[in-house]
């Protein structure tokens, strides 16, 4: 795996995925995109991992998005279109992901954050979708995930102007769920991840599937899917495990 991506698996069932190009604001190259795909596939298959925390190395950025110096390597717009969509790799991951944000959260880095499940931010974070200034749009979730999070008007403001918003504004409109003091974003994200990882893998994954279904479909189908997910989770062992834990606490 590329040294530009670091993965560490803790004893607490929480894994760390670190974007590790701090001298380049953790901008993503094609090799990094491939390493992200491989790393997430590895974490998805690891039974010792229940939650993943994503962060950027260094003090200046979470991620500045695609390294624009790498665009010539794709050969053509079609080549770029068919490249690994690294932000969507996070979207496809079936276990919960918490991201710890600071500094630049730009372009594809912003899209990575949008495709995570919970965003914890320090006040230093700045969020921007500068693609419009380059003459295109982001294709890792901007028009879809951002609009679902913040609504039509705020998404339009962010995507049409390309101007950055600060962490306070991002928290106010719903991009960020938890805003903490400077330097506390990773500690807070880890504490949250550990609390989540104390629950069973199947419970976490079925809850995530249900939440995503609510974002992507109608209420009737979503409720039907929720009931099927509940039955699946119980069939996987939770039917006996939950009541037995409750009885043990009472005793």
């Amino acid at each position: 795996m590329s040294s530009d991506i670091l993965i560490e698996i803790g004893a607490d069932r929480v894994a760390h995925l670190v974007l590790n190009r701090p001298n380049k604001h953790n901008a993503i190259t094609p090799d990094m995109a491939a390493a992200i795909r491989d790393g997430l596939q590895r974490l998805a298959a690891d039974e010792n991992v229940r939650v993943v925390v994503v962060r950027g190395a260094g003090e200046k950025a979470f991620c500045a998005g695609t390294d624009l110096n790498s665009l010539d390597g794709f050969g053509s717009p079609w080549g770029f279109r068919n490249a690994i969509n690294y932000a969507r790799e996070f979207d496809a991951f079936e276990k919960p992901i918490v991201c710890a944000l600071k500094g630049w959260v730009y372009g594809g880095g912003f899209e990575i954050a949008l495709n995570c499940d919970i965003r914890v931010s320090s006040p230093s974070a700045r969020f921007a979708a500068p693609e419009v200034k380059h003459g295109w749009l982001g294709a890792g979730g901007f028009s879809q995930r951002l609009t679902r999070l913040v609504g039509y008007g705020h998404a339009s403001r962010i995507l049409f102007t390309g101007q950055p918003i600060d962490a306070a504004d991002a928290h106010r409109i719903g991009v960020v769920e938890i805003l903490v003091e400077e330097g506390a974003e990773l500690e807070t994200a880890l504490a949250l991840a550990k609390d989540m990882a104390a629950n069973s893998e199947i419970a976490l994954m079925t809850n995530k599937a249900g939440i995503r279904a609510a974002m992507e479909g109608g209420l009737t189908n979503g409720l039907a899917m929720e009931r099927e997910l509940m039955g699946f989770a119980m069939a996987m062992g939770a039917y006996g495990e939950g009541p037995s834990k409750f009885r043990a606490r009472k005793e």
Side-chain angles (χ1 to χ4, degrees):
M1 180 174 294
S2 168
S3 61
D4 293 336
I5 297 294
L6 304 178
I7 290 181
E8 177 185 343
I9 300 173
D12 49 18
R13 299 183 184 274
V14 174
H16 299 247
L17 190 155
V18 184
L19 308 174
N20 189 40
R21 288 185 80 208
N23 59 324
K24 296 294 185 181
H25 300 299
N26 302 314
I28 308 293
T29 64
D31 285 346
M32 256 180 108
I36 287 171
R37 170 179 284 180
D38 292 344
L40 289 173
Q41 288 177 349
R42 171 187 163 194
L43 294 174
D46 194 325
E47 294 181 357
N48 293 314
V49 174
R50 293 186 180 174
V51 182
V52 175
V53 172
V54 181
R55 63 182 173 90
E59 299 301 319
K60 295 182 179 179
F62 170 70
C63 176
T66 299
D67 188 336
L68 297 183
N69 292 319
S70 70
L71 291 183
D72 289 341
F74 293 105
S76 69
W78 190 249
F80 183 62
R81 183 263 181 207
N82 290 331
I84 294 172
N85 191 326
Y86 57 83
R88 293 292 307 281
E89 295 295 321
F90 291 88
D91 177 54
F93 192 71
E94 295 179 338
K95 300 175 184 180
I97 309 178
V98 182
C99 58
L101 305 171
K102 62 184 175 185
W104 289 21
V105 189
Y106 277 28
F110 192 174
E111 290 181 301
I112 288 175
L114 292 172
N115 284 302
C116 294
D117 300 297
I118 303 173
R119 288 151 288 277
V120 181
S121 176
S122 76
S124 71
R126 295 293 181 271
F127 301 80
E131 284 82 354
V132 69
K133 295 181 177 296
H134 302 306
W136 61 75
L137 77 161
F142 264 143
S143 66
Q144 302 302 306
R145 292 288 179 211
L146 183 62
T147 304
R148 284 166 168 80
L149 273 179
V150 304
Y152 181 91
H154 287 305
S156 297
R157 169 172 64 106
I158 293 167
L159 297 181
F160 292 169
T161 67
Q163 296 297 332
I165 63 172
D166 62 24
D169 195 11
H171 183 242
R172 179 182 65 83
I173 66 176
V175 169
V176 167
E177 284 73 40
I178 304 173
L179 182 62
V180 297
E181 294 180 358
E182 194 64 42
E185 69 283 346
L186 180 56
E187 178 185 0
T188 304
L190 281 173
L192 179 61
K194 289 177 182 179
D195 187 38
M196 294 159 60
N199 298 306
S200 73
E201 182 181 37
I202 191 64
L204 292 170
M205 292 176 68
T206 49
N207 271 282
K208 177 167 179 171
I211 292 167
R212 287 298 177 97
M215 293 178 64
E216 296 164 5
L219 178 60
T220 300
N221 289 338
L223 289 170
M225 179 179 178
E226 182 180 76
R227 188 167 182 83
E228 297 306 317
L229 287 168
M230 180 194 70
F232 176 67
M234 296 179 79
M236 291 293 291
Y239 183 74
E241 181 180 335
S244 64
K245 285 184 177 180
F246 176 73
R247 286 192 294 270
R249 285 197 298 269
K250 287 187 66 176
E251 291 167 2

